[in-house]
Amino acid sequence: GEPSKCPAKYYSGAGATQCEECWAGHACPTEATAWPMQCPKGYYALPLSDQCSSCAPGNSSHAGSSECYVCPAGTSCPTQATPDPNICAAGYKSLAGATTCTPCGLGQYQPTAQSSSCLECPAGVRCPQQAISSVQNLGCPMGTYSRYDLKSTAFDLPYDHEDVARFPSLAATGDTVCRQCPNGYTCPDPATAPVLCPAGTTRIGTNYSHCAQCPAGYSCATPNVPPAECADGYYAIGSQAECTACSPGFQCPMKDVALQMRCSSGTFSAAGAANCTACPAGRACPEQDGSGIYDCASGTFALAGQVQCTPCPPGFQCPDITSPASMALCPKGTYSTGSKAKCDDCAKGSYNPLNGSTTANACVACGKGYYSNFTAAVSKTTCSPCPADTYCPLASNDLPTACPTGLSTFDRLARTSADDCTMPPPPPPPMNPPPL
């Protein structure tokens, strides 16, 4: 009989007695296919296929494949039916199944082709652009650094340059620039972390190689700021984190020399004094460190610069504790035994006709039989005889004492005793009786 044509998806060779199924990875596109057509790279076919199908982007295949494979990491398969994955060049990366190679980002590089990831730029190197394949010529110059994070607390007080918590740490990502050596650090090598300078030194500006000693007369609590001049009354001899306060009782006129001069008698200073202070008038300053200062008591005085208050001398009064200029001789009728702001008045019943008296004995008593109701009397004329019907028994009487009721001195004055108050005298005896 007549030979039968094999349908599409089948084939038969010469002398075949039957049609065979088209193989996987091959196509039998038409009737009477004598031999299966192999699928090229980038295509695939299942058994009994009349055509080869293209692999999707991100995939490829070998010739005669029944399925596609995912393009491996480090390559790209940008289109359908990509015959061979494209190798990602150095400076690029891709994951499996990628349609494009991605350039390494800023701060990254990749020296090897067909890579799945990029490397972070190492310390001491900068990666300022994308797709960098080599860092050979991207090293940082001396005096700079890269890829280290500085601690915001590095210079917190109290400062300790050996505290590891203050040290710079390696950043997770590479750097795009070389950074100038920061104030307060030295940068001995661009590839190593900046090194903190110790307290008592400073490192500012372009001198990145060493920490400068803090100059005399200045303090350097932290090395990242300019030296601070010592305040008046403080000094520093160099390489000091803090200025030293002048000791109490001393003055320190120079800031750059440890010269402490003892305060002279009558002056004083607290800690941190550039100059000693004269003891103020009206006060006494027994110690140069300012301890024990006291106000002068009433009846004493002190000029500026005295270690003790001066008592007002006997016979004088001193109303002003700040100066002897107002010292005055005690006037008549008064006296002072010393240390008096005002002279004491002579008591009632006495008087004093003299100036400058130093004891109460200078006040002369009016005497028995006399009295005086005046204080600070200056003359005996102030003493009055006790009037009739009174008596004055004391040497100093301020008022007369009245005779008891019913008794009288019968017009006698200056009586000294109650005995001088008597009953009226008996009537005189009667005259001789008249003759009867």
Side-chain angles (χ1 to χ4, degrees):
E2 289 293 325
S4 297
K5 293 181 179 180
C6 290
K9 301 182 182 181
Y10 289 83
Y11 76 95
S12 67
T17 60
Q18 63 180 12
C19 297
E20 303 287 342
E21 292 182 354
C22 202
W23 310 325
H26 294 72
C28 299
T30 62
E31 291 181 339
T33 297
W35 195 254
M37 180 183 66
Q38 186 183 51
C39 292
K41 293 180 180 180
Y43 290 83
Y44 73 98
L46 298 175
L48 285 174
S49 294
D50 59 358
Q51 62 180 4
C52 296
S53 299
S54 60
C55 292
N59 295 268
S60 185
S61 69
H62 303 293
S65 295
S66 63
E67 62 181 0
C68 300
Y69 64 84
V70 176
C71 286
T75 67
S76 68
C77 296
T79 62
Q80 290 183 336
T82 298
D84 293 297
N86 299 324
I87 301 299
C88 291
Y92 290 80
K93 65 176 180 177
S94 74
L95 298 177
T99 60
T100 60
C101 294
T102 303
C104 290
L106 299 176
Q108 296 180 325
Y109 77 109
Q110 178 50 262
T112 304
Q114 198 173 350
S115 295
S116 61
S117 62
C118 296
L119 304 176
E120 299 297 332
C121 255
V125 171
R126 60 186 174 88
C127 294
Q129 61 197 35
Q130 294 182 330
I132 291 177
S133 60
S134 173
V135 295
Q136 183 175 359
N137 297 318
L138 297 176
C140 292
M142 294 298 293
T144 66
Y145 73 100
S146 69
R147 204 184 166 183
Y148 277 96
D149 291 330
L150 306 180
K151 300 297 176 61
S152 61
T153 58
F155 298 105
D156 285 356
L157 296 175
Y159 175 66
D160 179 6
H161 75 288
E162 295 180 335
D163 179 5
V164 295
R166 301 170 184 259
F167 291 179
S169 58
L170 186 67
T173 57
D175 224 330
T176 61
V177 295
C178 299
R179 304 177 186 277
Q180 289 297 318
C181 193
N183 290 343
Y185 297 80
T186 58
C187 297
D189 185 337
T192 61
V195 180
L196 286 167
C197 289
T201 68
T202 182
R203 217 297 299 159
I204 296 175
T206 58
N207 173 32
Y208 60 84
S209 62
H210 68 278
C211 310
Q213 299 301 309
C214 198
Y218 291 80
S219 66
C220 298
T222 59
N224 62 320
V225 294
E229 185 177 8
C230 294
D232 291 344
Y234 289 74
Y235 65 89
I237 59 175
S239 301
Q240 289 189 209
E242 296 179 350
C243 297
T244 303
C246 199
S247 301
F250 291 81
Q251 60 183 356
C252 297
M254 303 177 69
K255 299 179 179 182
D256 57 353
V257 179
L259 176 62
Q260 300 199 54
M261 302 171 62
R262 185 75 176 176
C263 291
S264 60
S265 179
T267 66
F268 67 94
S269 72
N275 298 290
C276 299
T277 301
C279 193
R283 308 190 82 188
C285 302
E287 303 294 339
Q288 283 101 324
D289 64 1
S291 62
I293 296 177
Y294 62 90
D295 293 328
C296 290
S298 178
T300 66
F301 62 88
L303 294 170
Q306 288 194 208
V307 298
Q308 62 184 12
C309 300
T310 303
C312 194
F316 288 83
Q317 59 186 2
C318 301
D320 186 356
I321 64 171
T322 65
S323 171
S326 60
M327 183 191 303
L329 197 67
C330 287
K332 296 175 182 181
T334 66
Y335 67 94
S336 169
T337 57
S339 299
K340 296 288 185 179
K342 182 180 181 299
C343 297
D344 295 324
D345 292 337
C346 285
K348 294 178 180 180
S350 66
Y351 62 95
N352 181 8
L354 303 175
N355 293 315
S357 297
T358 60
T359 68
N361 292 335
C363 299
V364 181
C366 287
K368 293 182 178 182
Y370 290 82
Y371 76 97
S372 172
N373 198 32
F374 297 99
T375 57
V378 301
S379 170
K380 188 174 183 179
T381 58
T382 57
C383 299
S384 302
C386 288
D389 297 329
T390 67
Y391 62 95
C392 295
L394 304 175
S396 299
N397 300 282
D398 58 347
L399 289 172
T401 302
C403 286
T405 302
L407 300 182
S408 174
T409 61
F410 297 98
D411 297 327
R412 292 176 297 173
L413 306 177
R415 297 298 89 191
T416 63
S417 170
D419 294 339
D420 292 324
C421 299
T422 61
M423 295 291 290
M431 301 286 292
N432 288 333
L436 297 173

